[in-house]
Amino acid sequence: AQTIHQWPVAEIKAVGSPLSLGCTIKGKSSPNLYWYWQATGGTLQQLFYSITVGQVESVVQLNLSASRPKDDQFILSTEKLLLSHSGFYLCAWSPYWGEYAEQFFGPGTRLTVL
Amino acid sequence: AQRVTQVQPTGSSQWGEEVTLDCSYETSEYFYRIFWYRQLFSGEMVFLIYQPSFDTQNQRSGRYSVVFQKSFKSISLVISASQPEDSGTYFCALSELKGTNTGKLTFGDGTVLTVKP
């Protein structure tokens, strides 16, 4: 069975500080990976997607970047946090490419920027 | 352009009742899927069911089913025999099949459902 793990569970950071959030998928080789952001009480917005190691595409520009250093790992980062980065970050995976498959989400990371 | 609308910000039911949550969407693509997810109070998103655009049959999975009205671009999630554990926020999401599929999901604003014991 596939499992998806996100770290950390929660972060409280200062404006202007760096950030790194991680996501790991186990039990599935070459998954398609996604990062989503959700403002408190809001809807989900896709930020990045990746279909293979080293390849990441941006969907929305929020002064964030993403990388996929390993097949099973997806990293979201920024060098300078903004207040607007606060919210809930979700990593997701799907088993297929070229189809519009269902996506399975991780437990999420709650970020508070002060 | 893709757009998903959930006009009910909140909903409620009593234990054992059937619940219907509505969603409408905009798309210019012929092939697409509509997904339903439930967000737990912890924030975790749980996949419930999906409806392919080319399938005229309403999909069903356990206590979840959908009523798909393609010509009206609307779809409803029906939860039978609702239980307090079904409480949470329900999201409708659209994924279009295009030449270069990015797997983009466009989500609605969600409906917060409360099932009372």
Side-chain angles (χ1 to χ4, degrees):
Chain A
Q2 299 82 16
T3 58
I4 178 168
H5 175 60
Q6 287 188 244
W7 72 92
V9 172
E11 279 266 47
I12 299 176
K13 304 277 279 186
V15 169
S17 63
L19 174 76
S20 181
L21 304 181
C23 171
T24 298
I25 316 298
K26 295 300 182 188
K28 173 63 184 172
S29 61
S30 304
N32 304 309
L33 298 176
Y34 310 89
W35 276 113
Y36 287 85
W37 172 75
Q38 183 182 30
T40 302
T43 190
L44 281 79
Q45 189 169 29
Q46 193 179 79
L47 301 176
F48 298 94
Y49 68 91
S50 171
I51 62 170
T52 191
V53 175
Q55 184 177 337
V56 177
E57 300 296 329
S58 172
V59 178
V60 173
Q61 291 292 335
L62 284 181
N63 293 304
L64 295 166
S65 60
S67 64
R68 187 167 177 178
K70 301 179 186 177
D71 185 54
D72 63 353
Q73 197 173 79
F74 207 18
I75 306 295
L76 184 70
S77 61
T78 182
E79 293 188 0
K80 275 191 174 183
L81 277 166
L82 307 172
L83 284 174
S84 57
H85 286 137
S86 290
F88 195 55
Y89 289 84
L90 287 150
C91 179
W93 72 276
S94 68
Y96 309 118
W97 183 250
E99 291 185 34
Y100 37 148
E102 57 267 36
Q103 294 178 19
F104 301 96
F105 288 80
T109 294
R110 201 163 297 278
L111 174 67
T112 303
V113 182
L114 302 173
Chain B
Q2 306 180 76
R3 184 171 181 159
V4 178
T5 303
Q6 293 178 256
V7 295
Q8 307 157 288
T10 61
S12 67
S13 71
Q14 295 291 136
W15 197 339
E17 289 181 343
E18 182 176 274
V19 176
T20 299
L21 305 177
D22 299 322
C23 172
S24 62
Y25 56 91
E26 295 174 20
T27 179
S28 56
E29 298 297 325
Y30 184 78
F31 292 111
Y32 55 89
R33 285 184 182 181
I34 304 293
F35 298 87
W36 281 95
Y37 287 87
R38 174 174 151 235
Q39 187 166 38
L40 310 180
F41 294 118
S42 66
E44 186 171 353
M45 295 286 286
V46 178
F47 165 71
L48 299 177
I49 193 170
Y50 76 84
Q51 176 72 45
S53 61
F54 57 82
D55 194 340
T56 57
Q57 191 168 15
N58 292 325
Q59 301 301 299
R60 176 177 292 274
S61 176
R63 291 188 298 112
Y64 303 106
S65 61
V66 299
V67 177
F68 182 43
Q69 296 181 293
K70 185 175 179 178
S71 59
F72 294 107
K73 288 195 168 69
S74 88
I75 184 166
S76 298
L77 175 71
V78 180
I79 307 172
S80 63
S82 62
Q83 304 163 6
E85 305 88 88
D86 293 329
S87 297
T89 304
Y90 287 77
F91 288 96
C92 173
L94 166 68
S95 181
E96 298 172 329
L97 178 62
K98 295 182 175 179
T100 52
N101 183 35
T102 65
K104 178 172 180 166
L105 279 178
T106 300
F107 284 82
D109 289 336
T111 298
V112 180
L113 175 66
T114 302
V115 182
K116 301 169 187 173

